[in-house]
Amino acid sequence: MPKEGFVTSITRQSEDFPGWYNDVVLKAELADYSAVKGCMIIRPYGYAIWESMQGELDRHIKATGHSNMYFPLFVPKSLLDKEASHVEGFNPQVAWVTHAGGKKLEEWLAIRPTSEAIIAESVKDWIHSYRDLPMLMNIWNNVVRWEMRTRLFLRTTEFLWQEAHTFHATAEEAADEVRTGLDCYVKVAQDWLAIPVIQGRKTEAEKFPGADYTWCIEAMMRDKKALQAGTSHNLGQNFARAAGIEFLDRDNIRKHAYGTSWGFSTRMVGATIMTHGDDSGLVMPPNAAPVQVVVVPIFRKDEEKAAVAEAIDKFTAALASTPEGKAVRVKVDWREESPGFKYNHWELRGVPFRLEIGPRDVAAGQGMLVKRVDRSKEPVPLMQLAAEMPARLAAYQAELFQRALDFRAANTHNADTFEQLRDGLDGEGGFFMAPWCGDTKCEKQINEEIGATIRCIPFDSPDEKGKCLKCGGESERRVLFARAY
RNA sequence: CGGGGUGUGGCCUAGUUGGUAAGGCGCGUGCUUUGGGAGCACGAGAUCGUGGGUUCGAGUCCCGCCACCCCGACCA
């Protein structure tokens, strides 16, 4: 029997979820703390996961007509100050450069907390005519938002993300664009990361500072808390007015352009961990898994090693003989460690399938296939497996999504009274669909009293007359309450 | 910003009434091993978070500071 190894040194989810999360991030070598408070180092395996979702999102962004470009890290104070609600919303979180070149700066420079302000200032010189619109831009960069309390991937002072910024001739086009952005996020979250999301609109209190309205996707983590997984904002003409972005329309009238912006960050690495992971570590969705199949050779003597190597070579060659098979990310672990060590090593990293091949398997022309998500073991003839691998990965991906969907469904409830909401959150937890009058005062009171926020007003929430949890006023439909990250 | 906690090789920890730092993991080398975190041997690795104070002598006692973690508050 194995002694207590470091698998058991991962805090159990049921004991302490944040502790579990931290253990997994650090021990799976996704990230580490750095010399800078609140800032993290993303290590190769964590960065590979980010690159996977980044690549997929980038494909969607380009497919919908957006071009990548780059804007400066610094935003002059005067520019940030132009849009009133924007500056008010972000000021507490902005880091400023006040000195440079050994001198005090005449004008402070903000380290961008987001780029609306500097982009608006820049594009006003590029937009003159309705023919210049729409202008569809996307930027992959880092931003800095000073945080009191940080958590690896979920909330760090500096983080990586994508921010799309678009300008349009009409309000309708801008509204369509908000949908386009959100659709990109829904696809990446659900189809790539197997994270089911609820789409909806943020309340006035929760919307982006400077936006007319904000749409979002919200996901449920395995501790039943909510995580905002992406936001898409309709900026209306707010920034265009502040920066003076005007164009001559086809009716020969000067108009302010309509703007949108939408963002998706490294927080989604954390979402992936907390949606699928278990007490042995990560459980990666195959699409986003840096390694999809790990082969663990087992042998004692040199002859056995040679025979096992030959079988593995045949398997990988057979796999690579079709385009779909060639695309499978296989890793053969020849390190001089014991098989048991490797099992745990790759389970911690969430590799979907492990293929054990030892002398007994070679004799039978098979391999022992182990599924990470449920640890089920199945002997499979190697040539058959090579042919089936792409389909098995696809099935695994679908299974993870369904599992997450079932989990969310099992933990989503209606609450009709304040007491039901409170007791539900304090008890089993989860998502609660509850009537709300639409008043920010009620929303804030509920937040102060029980720590729950309105995550969104879901698009698929049906019309249903009710009485607001807090004030008893008229409610048109239920909204999503939860405790959130 | 409030409350709590922790700082000792890379990691986890021990360190007695104050006496000159110990163990485990990991790391390196060698041999034996390999179907769920292998064993033995040898070896490298620490100005004990930091600054002061008390003392013949401080990891240990006193004061200040810093950092990090947890829980709140706040937060895209």
Side-chain angles (χ1 to χ4, degrees), chain A residues 295-313:
Chain A
V295 182
V296 178
I298 294 157
F299 54 86
R300 290 164 198 268
K301 294 168 267 180
D302 283 349
E303 310 91 80
E304 288 176 344
K305 182 177 181 181
V308 166
E310 193 187 336
I312 291 173
D313 285 348

Side-chain angles (χ1 to χ4, degrees), chain A residues 386-416:
Chain A
E388 290 176 1
M389 208 65 241
R392 283 178 182 261
L393 285 165
Y396 188 108
Q397 176 86 21
E399 185 183 333
L400 274 200
F401 182 74
Q402 189 60 46
R403 192 177 74 133
L405 203 57
D406 292 345
F407 180 80
R408 189 184 72 188
N411 291 290
T412 301
H413 314 282
N414 281 345
D416 293 306

Side-chain angles (χ1 to χ4, degrees), chain A residues 76-91:
Chain A
K77 185 170 190 308
S78 56
L79 294 189
L80 204 59
D81 285 346
K82 282 191 179 180
E83 213 289 332
S85 58
H86 186 63
V87 67
E88 187 190 338
F90 276 107
N91 242 344

